[in-house]
Amino acid sequence: MTIKARIGGAMLAAIMSATALQGAFAAEDTIKIGVLHSLSGTMAISETTLKDVMLMLVAEQNKKGGVLGKKLEAVVVDPASNWPLFAEKARELISKDKVAAVFGCWTSSSRKSVLPVFEELNSLLFYPVQYEGEESSRNIIYTGAAPNQQAIPAVDYLMNSEGVQRWVLEGTDYVYPQTTNKILKAYLMSKGVKEADIMINYTPFGFSDWQTEVSKIKSFGSAGKKTAVVSTINGDANVPFYKELGNQGIKAQDIPVVAFSVGEEELAGIDTKPLVGHLAAWNYFQSVDAPVNAEFIKTWHAFTKNDKRVTNDPMEAAYIGFNAWVKAVEAAGTTDTDKVIDSIVGVSVPNLSGGYSTVMPNHHITKPVLIGEIQANGQFDIVQQTPQVVGDEWSDYLPDSKDLISDWRKPMSCGNFNVKTGKCGGKGS
Amino acid sequence: MKMSAILLKGRRMYLRPVRILAILLGLILGFATAASSAADDPAALIKALGTANFEQAEAIIADLGKTGDTRIVPALEAFAAGDLYVRKSDSQVFIAKAAGSGFTLIDPVTGASAGEAPKSAITKIKINNSLRRAISSAQGGLTLLSPDKVVRLQAADSVLKSPSAENLELLEAALAKETDRAVKLRMEQARAVSLLSSDRPVDQKRAAIATLQSLGGRDAIGILMTAAPTLDPALKGDLDAAIKKIEGTLALWDAAQNIWYGLSLGSVLLLAAIGLSITFGVMGIINMAHGEMVMLGAYSTFVVQEIIRTKFPGAFDYSLAIALPVAFVVTGAAGLIIERGVIRFLYGRPLETLLATWGVSLVLQQLVRSIFGPTNREVGNPSWMSGSFPLGGMQVTWNRMWIVLFSLTIFLGLLLLMKRSFFGLMMRAVTQNRRMASSMGIRTPWVDAFTFALGSGIAGIAGVALSQIDNVSPNLGQSYIIDSFMVVVFGGVGNLWGTLVGALTLGVLNKFLEPWVGAVLGKILVLVLIILFIQKRPRGLFALKGRAIEA
Amino acid sequence: MITSFFLRALEGRIVAMVAVLLGFAVLVPMSNLLLGPDNPLHVPTYVMSLLGKYLCYALLALALDLVWGYCGILSLGHGAFFSLGGYAMGMYLMRQIGSRGVYGDPILPDFMVFLNWKQLPWFWYGFDMFWFAALMVLVVPGLLAFVFGWFAFRSRVNGVYLSIITQAMTYALLLAFFRNDMGFGGNNGLTDYKDILGFSVQSDGTRSVLFALSAIMLALCLILASAIVRSKFGKVLLGVRDAESRVRFLGFRVENIKLFTFVVSAMMAGIAGALFVPQVGIINPGEFAPANSIEVVIWTAVGGRSTLIGPIIGAVLVNGGKTIFTGVFPEFWLFALGGLFVLVTLFLPKGIVGTVAQALAKRRAAQAAETPTHLNGKPQAAE
C-alpha cells in the first residue's frame, strides 16, 4: 500500500461522509404535499384508492431523487366525507403543515368547500375527478374531464355509430348530473333531437330500489326509436342499478347505457356478464394498450401488493396532476405557489393512454376521450378514441357561460373573461 | 368519407328493402379487394372480418347471414362473445380459447383445431353493440331450421327483434316445416314483424298487425310504432286500434306491476327491520349497530362465495344456502359479544344504548373497512336468482321474488319461535315482567343475551339477501338503519305483525308515489306521512295495549 | 324581576364557564391580531376558526341539553334547526356576493345562473338585508319547532317515538335540500362567501370578531338556559322530565311547557348554525344528516347531560379529538371515536361533568355526614 493510495482512500472517505451528511440534511429538509381524500364515510369507497395512488407516486418520485433535490413527504389527513371538514383540513394542511400543494377532493361539494380556502391562503389544489365544469380558479388545476371531454363525445358516439334517436338522461340529483344534463339537452336539441325524445330523471343519493325507474326506461325505449340511457348516476347507486338492468333483461343491444361515473373500480363489485356491451366514457381505461400504462399497472400492483387491484380514470388524472406539478416546480426552481402557477401553464406530461397531456391556460388539461364497452371480466374494450380534446371550463351550450373564457396567464389572469364585453368578471353589468 | 356516409345511410334505413342495395354499394366501395370476388365464400368473408372496421364488419355479417351456411354459426357465436381473433403473421381469423398462458386456435368454418398461439401473436377482433345486433339477426336466420327446438325458439326470438326482408323468406320456409306449437307461434309473430317492414300487400299486413296485437306488451307497441311511418295510410286505423288495445291491457298490468314493486320493496324493508323489531321492539334497545349486523351478514356471504369460487367452483349455486347459517352464526356471535360486553350494563337506560351502539357501529364499520378495504365487494347472483320471468303482462325478476318469499319465511319462522317455543315463552316473560320471570327461575341475563343474539343473527341473514341487490360495502348498514327504525316505529314497537304491515305499507306507498312525483319527492312524502301518522297514533299502527300511564 | 330571573342563573359553575368564555372572547382574538406569528402565545387564524367552530357546536349541544337534559325530549333532529339557521345566514352571505360571482350576475347566485334560473325564487327575497336574515335565523327554526312540537306534544308523542320522528324530520329535510329544484344549491350548498356587513369574511379581523361573537353568544345562551332551569318554570320542567303525567294531573299544561322549551332550544340551535356558516365558509345539506344530530347527542352525553356546562365541554373535547385524530391516525380514528363513546357510556354514565360533580358532592357529603342536605334523596349534581 502506498501513500498515494492512502490519501486516495481518505479523500474517498471524506467525499462519502460529505454526501452522507448531505443526505441527512435532505431527509430533514423535505417538501410536504397534502393528500386530502376521505378515508371514512360515504366517499371513502372511491377516494381511498386515490390516497394510495398519491402515496405511490410520492414513493416513486423519491426513488428518482425527489424534487429540487429534496425528498417529498405526503401529509395524509381524513376529511371523513364531511364537506365543512374538507375546508378545515385544507386550512390545516396549508397553515399548519405548510404543504407546497394539495392533491385531493372528489365530489364537487368538497371542491367548492375548499376553493375559498385555497384562494385565501394562495395555495394550489390538484383536482383529479371529472366534474361539471363552470368553474376556473387560479388556485386549482383540474385534471379530470370537463363535460366536453366526456359527455359530449359519448353522445356523439351513440348518435353516429349506434344511431340513437331517443335519450334517457338518468342521474343522481346533484350538481354534476344536473349541469351535465343541461349541457347535453342543449347539445342534443342543437342536433335536431326533439324535446319529446329526451327524458330526464333524477334519483336520490344511494338509491337502491331501481325497479320502477328501470321499467320506466323500458317503456320509454319502446316507442319505436333506438333509445339509449346516458347515466350520471353516482357511485353507490350504480351497483343496484346495473343489477336491476341485468335482471330485467335490458341488454346493451336493445338499450345501451353509457355511464360517466362507472369505471373499473365500480365494476369490481358487480358480476358484469349481463352487462357486456354497456358503455362508459372516460379518458383512460385500464385496458389501454400502451407501454406507459403497462408500467403504471405494474408499479401499482407492486405498491399495493395485490395484483388484482384495478386502475381507473381518476387515478390517471392524479398521475398527470402529480407529474405536471413536479415538472412545473422543477421549471420554476421553487415550490412558491405564484411561481408554480406561472410555470405550470403549458407543461406537458405523458398520460397513460400513450400521449401527452398539457396544462392549458384555463387550468384544465388536454386529453383524449375513450369510449369503452364493458366486458365480462370487468374491464372495458375501447371502441373509440378521439384525438386530444381541450377541457372547456365554460360550456358553449349554456346561455350564461358561452361567452366566458378563462386564461390564467399574465396579463389577463382571469377566470371568467367575457369575450363579448371584453371584461373580466362574468356577464358584467 | 363518401363511402362511410353511404354505409351509414344503409344502416339507418335498416328496415327498408333499399338496404340490400346500399350494402352492395358499400361492398363494392368499401372492401372490393377482400370480398367482392368471394361474396358467397364463408371462409373468405370471415377472413375479411380480420381487417374490417365496425361498419364494414356489419356488412360482412349480413353477407354471412345470406350465405345460409350453418357451419359459420359457431364463428358468429364466438364473435359475439369476443372470442374471434386474428393472427398477426398472416391475418388469418380463428376462434381462440384461452388455454394456459396462450390460446388454442380453432378454424372458424371447419371447426378443426389449428394449433396454439401465444397471446402476443394474435389480436382480438373488436365488437360493438351494432355488430352484436347484426350477429344475432344473422344467427337467427341461420338457425331457424335447426333440429333443436330450443335453438329454433331462440332463433325466432332474435329474428323478432331484428326484422328484415331477407329473414321473411327464411321464416316462411321454416314455418312451413315447423311442427312445435310454441315455436310456430313465435315464428308467426316474428314473421308478422318482418312482414310489416316488407313490401307485401296490405291484407297480409293487416293480418300481421292482428298477430302483433295478440303478442301484446311494450315490445309490440315498439314494433308497431317503428313500422308506422312507412305503412300504407289505409292501415293507420288498424294500427292505432291495435296500439290502443295493447295499451289498455298494459295499463292494468302496470298497476299490478306497481303493487309487485311495492311488495318487493316492502319485503326488503321487512328484512332490514325484522331483526330490529326484536332488539328494539322487544328488548327496548335502540340498536344503532343494527345496520352493521346486516353488513356483517353481507360480508359473510362474500367470504363464503370467495371460498367457493376458489375451492369448489361447482357449488356456486348453493353459496347462498351455505352463507345463511354462516351469516347467522357470525352475526349472532357478534351480537352476543356486544350484549355481554356493552349492553347488559345499560338495561333500563334505553337512550344510553343508543350512544354505546353508535360507538360500536363506528368501530365495526372501520373494522370492515380495514379488513376488506373500502371498495365494493363482488357478491354474485347464483343462476336461480338471475334474470326474470313473465307473469301475464309483467316481468318478475327472480331475485326479487326469492327475497319476497325469503322475508315472509323469516317472518313466519320468527313468529313461530316467539309464540310456540319455550325460548319464545321465556323471551316474552322477561320482556313483559322481568322480576316476575326472574323469580320463576328464568335466568334473565341469558335470555337477554340470546334474544339480542337472535335479533343480530336475523339481521345477518337479512344481509345475505340484501347482498344480492345492493352494494356490499362498509356503508351498507348506514343506508338501511333509518328506514328500519321508521318501519318499526310506524308498525308499532314490540309487535312483529306491526313490522310486517308497516314494511309492506311503506313499500307499496313509496312505489305508488314514485312514478307520480319522482323518487326523491316520493321518499320525502313518505317521511312526512309517517310523521303525521305518528301524531294520529302515537304508538304506531299496532300499539301494545296496556294500562301504564307512561309506558 | 327580570334581573332576579337572570341573577338566579349565576350559580358557581355557570359563572366560571361564562368567565372562561368571555376570557376566550377577548384573549384569543387579541393574541391572533396583536402577537406576531413567532410568538409562542400566538393563536394562528386556522386555530381560531377551528375554536370558533367548536363553540358553535357547543352552543348546539347546549340547546340540545335544554330539551333533553331538562325536559326529557331526546331530539335526534337538532341538526335540522342548526342547518336552517345556517342556511338563513348562508343566503344572506350569498346575496352579499352581488356581481362578484363567477358569472357576475348582480342578483342571482352562481348556482342559479348555471341551472338557467331566470329570477330569484320568492323565498330568497329580503335576504340581502342583514336584519331580515338575522331575524330568519331565529324565526325559521323556531317556526319549524313550533309547528312540529305543536302537533307532536299535543298528541302526546313521547319517548322513542318522538326521537324517531325528529330523525324522520331531519332526514326529510336532508332529502329536500339535496334537491336542486329547491333553490338552495343542491348538494353543493352555499359557499364562496365574500363579505359580511361589508367586512371580508376572510380577513383576520372579521374572523376574530366572529370568534368573539360565538363565545359571547354561547355565554349569553348559557346564562339564559341556566336562568330558565333555575326559575320556577325550570322546576316544572324537571317535573315534566321525571314524571310527566303527575305534572299534568297537577294542572300544568305539559304540552305548552314542552313547546316553549323546544322552540327556545331550536332558536339557540339556529343561532349556532348562523355563527357556524361564516366561520366555516360553507353550508350544505350534509349538515341535515341524521348522523350529525346523533353526534350532538353524543357530545352532550360525553360532557354530562343536565349540567348545561357539560355539553359545552363535551362538544369541544369530542370535536377537538376528532380534529387531532383525523390528522394523526387518518385510517384508525373511527376506532378511537367509537371506542370513546362506548367507554364513556359504560364508565362515565353521567358524563365528565356529572361524574366530577358527583365525586365532589360525595366528598362534601362525607364531610358533613350528620347534616343531610338533600331532601329529595338525590345528589344535587345529578340534575
Side-chain angles (χ1 to χ4, degrees), chain C residues 177-213:
Chain C
F177 273 74
F178 259 125
R179 278 165 49 83
N180 278 283
D181 297 344
M182 283 283 285
F184 293 105
N187 74 320
N188 277 2
L190 310 176
T191 181
D192 208 7
Y193 310 130
K194 310 279 189 223
D195 294 345
I196 178 164
L197 288 171
F199 302 100
S200 160
V201 286
Q202 298 186 335
S203 76
D204 286 354
T206 317
R207 286 183 185 282
S208 300
V209 171
L210 283 170
F211 173 82
L213 260 180

Side-chain angles (χ1 to χ4, degrees), chain C residues 66-118:
Chain C
L66 192 60
V67 285
W68 184 32
Y70 292 91
C71 194
I73 304 168
L74 174 58
S75 165
L76 294 182
H78 250 52
F81 305 125
F82 178 83
S83 315
L84 286 174
Y87 264 96
M89 179 54 84
M91 285 160 79
Y92 163 74
L93 293 169
M94 286 309 271
R95 295 293 306 269
Q96 292 307 298
I97 296 173
S99 55
R100 282 169 293 172
V102 291
Y103 297 101
D105 192 297
I107 294 176
L108 293 183
D110 286 339
F111 70 87
M112 291 189 191
V113 179
F114 76 67
L115 291 177
N116 280 343
W117 292 47
K118 292 295 165 233

Side-chain angles (χ1 to χ4, degrees), chain B residues 98 101 138 142 214 232 243 280 342 352 428 453 459 502 508:
Chain B
S101 57
L142 288 173
S214 72
D232 196 297
I243 290 180
F280 173 53
V342 179
E352 282 166 37
R428 283 181 292 145
V508 173

Side-chain angles (χ1 to χ4, degrees), chain C residues 266-350:
Chain C
M267 286 179 168
M268 279 188 192
I271 295 173
L275 286 166
F276 173 82
V277 169
Q279 299 189 67
V280 169
I282 183 171
I283 177 79
N284 70 8
E287 296 299 313
F288 283 104
N292 284 21
S293 296
I294 293 174
E295 264 195 43
V296 182
V297 175
I298 285 170
W299 306 334
T300 311
V302 168
R305 179 189 166 197
S306 323
T307 58
L308 293 185
I309 62 163
I312 297 177
I313 294 174
V316 173
L317 281 183
V318 174
N319 283 297
K322 218 171 158 177
T323 302
I324 295 170
F325 291 147
T326 47
V328 182
F329 320 109
E331 319 250 0
F332 302 105
W333 68 277
L334 274 178
F335 287 126
L337 197 68
L340 177 75
F341 296 155
V342 175
L343 294 179
V344 165
T345 25
L346 286 184
F347 299 111
L348 297 176
K350 290 179 193 309

